[in-house]
Amino acid sequence: MSYIKQMFETHPVNPSSDHAKVIECITACYSCSEACNACADACLGEKEVAKMVHCIRDCNDCADVCLATARIISRFTRTDFKLAGAQLRACIQACESCGAICSKHGQTMEHCRVCAEACRRCAEACQSLLAEKPTS
Amino acid sequence: MSYIKQMFETHPVNPSSDHAKVIECITACYSCSEACNACADACLGEKEVAKMVHCIRDCNDCADVCLATARIISRFTRTDFKLAGAQLRACIQACESCGAICSKHGQTMEHCRVCAEACRRCAEACQSLLAEKPTS
Amino acid sequence: MSYIKQMFETHPVNPSSDHAKVIECITACYSCSEACNACADACLGEKEVAKMVHCIRDCNDCADVCLATARIISRFTRTDFKLAGAQLRACIQACESCGAICSKHGQTMEHCRVCAEACRRCAEACQSLLAEKPTS
Amino acid sequence: MSYIKQMFETHPVNPSSDHAKVIECITACYSCSEACNACADACLGEKEVAKMVHCIRDCNDCADVCLATARIISRFTRTDFKLAGAQLRACIQACESCGAICSKHGQTMEHCRVCAEACRRCAEACQSLLAEKPTS
């Protein structure tokens, strides 16, 4: 359902033919933002919502950070890798925090298990892109 | 790559077993927001950028509206269909405006053709959900 | 602290010298988005969080809608009042729903009282702009 | 017009009575996001738009990063300073990049001068908060 691959293939500024890591990073960031926003709402719907407060806040933060990261990395023609690098590091941190608490809840709450999976994939995609681009 | 289907299947508040239209609407809104953000950047990278100004602005607006719509419709446990309905109508309008100009450019610019496709699918998904839920 | 007034006064496309209503609408939308995001978090910090679930969700929705509205109305050079009108109507709806529940809680929770005030001001500013621009 | 100060004074979780730096950071981030979004549109309206492409992209990035930072720092009850720190660093980077190019244009374009001022203030506020909170 993601159009990013097609977008990159047809972008007027296209210095290389292999953008697999960038595309996976953008897709994983959007997917994680989507999962975190939905998980925060699912947590709000749990009977023992008081126990979910920490998780809701981490999901809200992670949704915001992943979204900003996805949008920035999507602006393909830019070359400010300093900013991209700093934002990727923030995104990895958000996904690790949120993924840790969702993993814990994931044993009893399926939506948290799915969200933890999205966080893990997103952190990996960001790390993989960061490793490729020396960003200062 | 979307986790929304899994999220809905595991949401603690789940009054019905058929959420196909809601899921398609959320997925289409996120995908369209992603495509519009990338298309705005691709348009900025075009040599004759002065001709793309209108398109860039429509893409930016559509990206913002689709994102808000996706996030609101994802908050499944809410029942405020008045707001959902009004936001779906704004989203249909954004997709129609942006889709129209991207369609026109789509004959020569492939990224606009892809974006117009994302807009068309998103408008249809919003209309389909709006038709199901009497919202005002 | 808002730079919108200065931005409008220095915008290259400036068909009129009186933008008071547009500026107040943008400022009120950003302020309301900010208040709703903070109120959702304050509600999460309340001891009886289970009673705040409806309010948290309305605040989250209202924050998203107000933000999209602020960003779209800020794109001053556009003339697509159809979209602006539809988004303003969605914003009024979001502010009315969120303002209603925050008003109710506002008797005992000061952050909800402040948020209700932000919603009221935002709804008024959107209505005032909508009345000026025939949009559909 | 910012409600953040009132929100913090009435937040149920309030470990300290002095939040001046946090409040200034949130206010500066929202204001900068607002200014960058408006400056990107003003740049799009300039006659020689081809010369503004770099600036538009930096403004779009900075608007996204500042917004995510503002929303995260506003979630006062959280204590995940690792994420807050990483996001503040990304925000400083975004404001420095965007501020540098807007400063350059600011000699001839007043909207860029205003935007550069918003970026400078935001970078300072983030740095000041980062210095106070040991975050990694």
Side-chain angles (χ1 to χ4, degrees), chain A residues 115-131:
Chain A
C115 190
E117 189 189 312
C119 288
R120 199 162 33 237
R121 178 185 159 201
C122 187
E124 279 173 19
C126 290
Q127 241 143 4
S128 172
L129 186 59
L130 197 56

Side-chain angles (χ1 to χ4, degrees), chain B residues 57 61 75 77-78 97, chain C residues 57 61 75 77-78 80 97:
Chain B
R57 194 163 293 124
D61 281 356
R75 291 193 191 102
T77 45
R78 71 170 297 109
S97 296
Chain C
R57 195 163 295 124
D61 281 356
R75 290 191 192 102
T77 46
R78 72 170 296 108
D80 183 357
S97 296

